Amino acid sequence: MAIKINVLVGTMTGTAQLVAQELELTWDDGETQVETLLMDDLDASVFAREGVFLICTSTYGQGDVPDNAKKLYEDLQAKRPDLAQLRYGVFGLGDRTYAETFNFGGRRFDDLLTELGAQRIGERVQHDASSGVLPEEMASEWGADWLKLARLAAEQAA
Ligand SMILES: Cc1cc2nc3c(=O)[nH]c(=O)nc-3n(C[C@H](O)[C@H](O)[C@H](O)COP(=O)(O)O)c2cc1C
């Protein structure tokens, strides 16, 4: 079965975008169609799109979502749409040096989407910039397994 994956990118300095590009290379074939969107001008209506979603976001400030993700995050908080049909995954980027707020960007989206009725596919990933592991490498390894779970979720929803 063909599936569509919408990757929504929250980033300050482009690392999450590199991860999204890597995932697109890993996933995009005849059967899996991937569309990557920077969060910049998105609002809650983006979740009306067909397919499953991947939130790929870093963390800034004191555990905040990056600036380009704020509009989407705040719109979801304000409108609180019913997202019971939504299936999503989270690839979070952060740095354990920020021990109190490690990976809170991805966690905030995860918590909010769950509150709104959406169901996560797989575990939330937490990349650690201080670990020495390249986020793109982590993404391509993780992405192969996540795709299997996303396919199952899409088949169950069909
Ligand atoms: C000013 C600043 C604040 C940050 N705050 C946090 C934080 O609170 N928690 C965390 O886990 N990582 C934090 N980080 C780390 C970034 O999330 C991490 O380096 C990430 O890979 C950056 O991805 P990006 O280039 O896509 O924005 C911060 C980085 C900077 C430069």
Side-chain angles (χ1 to χ4, degrees):
M1 186 181 118
I3 68 162
K4 175 154 188 218
I5 305 177
N6 302 282
V7 183
L8 309 187
V9 180
T11 184
M12 210 79 124
T13 55
T15 320
Q17 205 171 354
L18 291 177
V19 167
Q21 279 164 6
E22 186 64 37
L23 288 173
E24 203 164 321
L25 286 174
T26 307
W27 290 337
D28 216 346
D29 57 25
E31 284 282 277
T32 309
Q33 192 203 338
V34 185
E35 190 163 359
T36 300
L37 301 169
L38 284 173
M39 289 187 188
D40 296 69
D41 292 318
L42 301 182
D43 60 27
S45 66
V46 70
F47 291 111
R49 283 169 167 255
E50 181 203 334
V52 299
F53 285 74
L54 181 74
I55 305 293
C56 180
T57 184
S58 62
T59 306
Y60 272 86
Q62 299 188 332
D64 299 323
V65 300
D67 287 352
N68 83 320
K70 283 192 172 147
K71 182 175 164 202
L72 174 60
Y73 185 76
E74 285 165 10
D75 199 48
L76 282 170
Q77 275 183 319
K79 294 193 181 133
R80 305 194 66 78
D82 176 1
L83 297 181
Q85 303 305 316
L86 180 68
R87 301 289 178 273
Y88 71 97
V90 180
F91 191 106
L93 295 96
D95 188 324
R96 275 200 198 275
T97 316
Y98 300 87
E100 304 285 308
T101 55
F102 176 57
N103 245 289
F104 270 30
R107 183 168 155 181
R108 282 182 195 279
F109 269 105
D110 191 18
D111 289 349
L112 183 53
L113 292 175
T114 299
E115 260 176 60
L116 299 175
Q119 283 178 40
R120 195 181 61 228
I121 300 167
E123 294 301 311
R124 177 164 56 87
V125 184
Q126 303 194 102
H127 179 259
D128 172 12
S130 73
S131 67
V133 175
L134 286 175
E136 307 92 286
E137 278 177 15
M138 189 173 175
S140 68
E141 259 178 49
W142 166 86
D145 286 340
W146 192 81
L147 180 60
K148 291 180 198 151
L149 296 176
R151 283 191 167 283
L152 277 178
E155 279 165 21
Q156 280 162 8

